[in-house]
Amino acid sequence: LGLLLIAGPTLLSSTFTIWNVTCLLAQGLDFGIRRAPPRLLPYLTVNSWAIFTSFNVIALVYPSHYVELARRLDTGMPLFHFLNTLGHFVPGIICAWWFEQLDAGDRADACAWTDVAPVAYTPLAYHLLWALRIAGGLVLDHVYLKRPRFQWYISWATGTATHLVVGRLVARSCAEGISLTAAAGW
């Protein structure tokens, strides 16, 4: 994880999805090998859902989004949808499931950093800093595909809303020592 933090996502790829999945894998390995508290898990939970919504909302406003990305990746649509599910949906499910499985003590350990780096805002700040580092702003044409600016702004607005809503949910879970489902009122 230290190498990734120093080298950044450009070592692997410039996409925020790759960066998020890499951190999730590193967190899982760190937990599995050393039994270290999954302190990135609250942040990865928020990021994973923001990535999912911000990526997929573009298909609602620009229906050929998936087809163009599949063409760029040189894949058929079934493989593209599989990769989209694997990269954008599965991490959120894994994070939510993992977070939900933590008992009160493990949840407190996982949430230890949230007092210093508030989970309701830190993942959004990190996502924005990534965009500034990789693309110099919010328009990610050279990272993904060229799109009209309004599509990027819709994507960022959706991602921001997701960061804030899921971030507050995770923050409540951490602050009150309750599960995500209890924090959501389910």
Side-chain angles (χ1 to χ4, degrees), residues 9-10 12-20 72 130 134 143-144:
T10 54
L12 303 169
S13 171
S14 61
T15 72
F16 197 68
T17 301
I18 294 293
W19 178 243
N20 188 69
R72 178 177 177 205
W130 167 85
I134 296 299
V143 178
Y144 299 103

Side-chain angles (χ1 to χ4, degrees), residues 16 42-44 46-47 117-128 163 167:
F16 197 68
Y43 307 98
L44 292 168
V46 176
N47 269 341
V119 72
Y121 308 106
T122 303
L124 174 59
Y126 185 74
H127 204 160
L128 291 169
H163 273 291

Side-chain angles (χ1 to χ4, degrees), residues 6 9 38 60 76 99 106 108 112 137 140 143-144 146 158 161 166 175 178 181:
I6 293 168
L60 296 176
F99 200 86
D106 289 339
L140 304 172
V143 178
Y144 299 103
K146 186 164 181 57
T158 302
V166 177
I178 58 176
T181 53

Side-chain angles (χ1 to χ4, degrees), residues 70-178:
R71 199 173 308 126
R72 178 177 177 205
L73 297 171
D74 196 27
T75 67
M77 290 310 296
L79 179 57
F80 173 81
H81 287 302
F82 172 77
L83 294 172
N84 182 21
T85 301
L86 188 64
H88 295 122
F89 183 64
V90 170
I93 294 295
I94 290 170
C95 287
W97 176 84
W98 187 2
F99 200 86
E100 195 68 16
Q101 299 306 307
L102 297 174
D103 63 28
D106 289 339
R107 188 178 305 106
D109 287 343
C111 293
W113 293 347
T114 61
D115 289 336
V116 176
V119 72
Y121 308 106
T122 303
L124 174 59
Y126 185 74
H127 204 160
L128 291 169
L129 288 172
W130 167 85
L132 288 173
R133 177 177 180 224
I134 296 299
L138 301 180
V139 176
L140 304 172
D141 286 348
H142 78 277
V143 178
Y144 299 103
L145 286 176
K146 186 164 181 57
R147 295 280 177 246
R149 284 186 181 273
F150 85 91
Q151 289 179 14
W152 288 118
Y153 296 145
I154 288 170
S155 179
W156 278 104
T158 302
T160 298
T162 305
H163 273 291
L164 296 174
V165 169
V166 177
R168 288 186 179 144
L169 177 72
V170 174
R172 179 174 180 216
S173 175
C174 287
E176 297 180 18
I178 58 176

Side-chain angles (χ1 to χ4, degrees), residues 43-59:
Y43 307 98
L44 292 168
T45 301
V46 176
N47 269 341
S48 294
W49 289 111
I51 289 167
F52 171 75
T53 60
S54 65
F55 178 81
N56 288 292
V57 73
I58 292 182

